[in-house]
Amino acid sequence: MTARIEKAVVSGVFSLDGQDFDVDNNVWLVGDDDEVLVIDAPHRVEPIVEAIGGRRVTAIVLTHGHNDHITAAVDLREATGAPIWFHPADRMLWDVVHEGADPDEALAEGTAFRVAGTTLTALHTPGHSPGSTCLHAPDLAAVFTGDTLFHGGPGATGRSFSDKPTILNSIRSRLLTLHGDTVVHTGHGEDTRISAEISTVH
């Protein structure tokens, strides 16, 4: 097993429903010294390209369509030549940010990505947004949850296109069923483990 997990943090503004918030976003890179898969592309492309460090990018996978996770996606595609994978249920959010540009591939339940000898599998976890998707890498004992599950509980559901009962069902059925020692790599903030979040989902 040569794959490893790296993180870059990119700061910027999250905008939705006419409000702006300063946020720090986690960009996750899964790969080795030669190739890497990038999870989310927030705010500005330069720090993401720096984190990639000249490696071949196999895919740009977006966990959901909020602007603070996708703003740099098209620029990152241009910089790396890698395809953008995006769940079509969030297309209305994509179009606000990238009018006139399209993702390359439709992310869906069960989509599998191989990189550096490991496999990440997409888990469709709607609720924070209709197309919210997590990536599970069992070989690395890791799941990348975007804004679906955080250290301390579920992601926010108080804004357009989000729904609390839906996110709770997604977390219970798709995430809390993973091994308890699975590390949760979130879209913002610190890591947690599945076992630590069971009591926070209610």
Side-chain angles (χ1 to χ4, degrees):
M1 174 60 59
T2 58
R4 62 182 183 268
I5 297 169
E6 304 164 37
K7 179 174 75 168
V9 178
V10 186
S11 302
V13 176
F14 166 49
S15 301
L16 188 65
D17 297 340
Q19 292 182 291
D20 293 337
F21 306 88
D22 292 326
V23 289
D24 297 328
N25 283 70
N26 297 331
V27 180
W28 296 101
L29 298 90
V30 181
D32 57 18
D33 291 342
D34 300 316
E35 63 178 17
V36 68
L37 176 144
V38 178
I39 301 170
D40 285 339
H43 309 306
R44 296 177 297 111
V45 72
E46 294 83 5
I48 306 173
V49 170
E50 182 178 348
I52 292 166
R55 290 173 287 182
R56 183 174 71 90
V57 179
T58 61
I60 302 161
V61 185
L62 305 178
T63 59
H64 63 292
H66 288 150
N67 77 288
D68 61 321
H69 291 255
I70 71 169
T71 303
V74 172
D75 288 344
L76 187 59
R77 175 172 64 188
E78 292 176 358
T80 64
I84 298 169
W85 289 77
F86 183 78
H87 199 292
D90 276 3
R91 182 61 192 245
M92 68 290 186
L93 295 166
W94 169 277
D95 287 341
V96 171
V97 179
H98 294 300
E99 184 178 3
D102 296 313
D104 298 288
E105 304 288 348
L107 189 59
E109 171 69 28
T111 301
F113 300 92
R114 279 198 65 78
V115 61
T118 196
T119 300
L120 298 90
T121 302
L123 308 175
H124 183 214
T125 52
H128 181 68
S129 68
S132 285
T133 301
C134 300
L135 289 175
H136 181 216
D139 292 345
L140 302 176
V143 63
F144 302 88
T145 57
D147 289 1
T148 294
L149 182 64
F150 290 110
H151 182 278
T157 52
R159 304 194 177 278
S160 296
F161 311 115
S162 63
D163 183 74
K164 186 173 183 178
T166 301
I167 199 173
L168 292 176
N169 180 65
S170 290
I171 293 169
R172 290 187 185 115
S173 64
R174 309 315 314 281
L175 299 180
L176 297 187
T177 53
L178 302 178
H179 193 284
D181 286 341
T182 302
V183 177
V184 178
H185 297 290
T186 63
H188 308 270
E190 60 186 290
D191 294 347
T192 183
R193 290 186 186 272
I194 290 294
S195 58
E197 299 309 321
I198 293 173
S199 63
T200 69
V201 180
H202 45 71

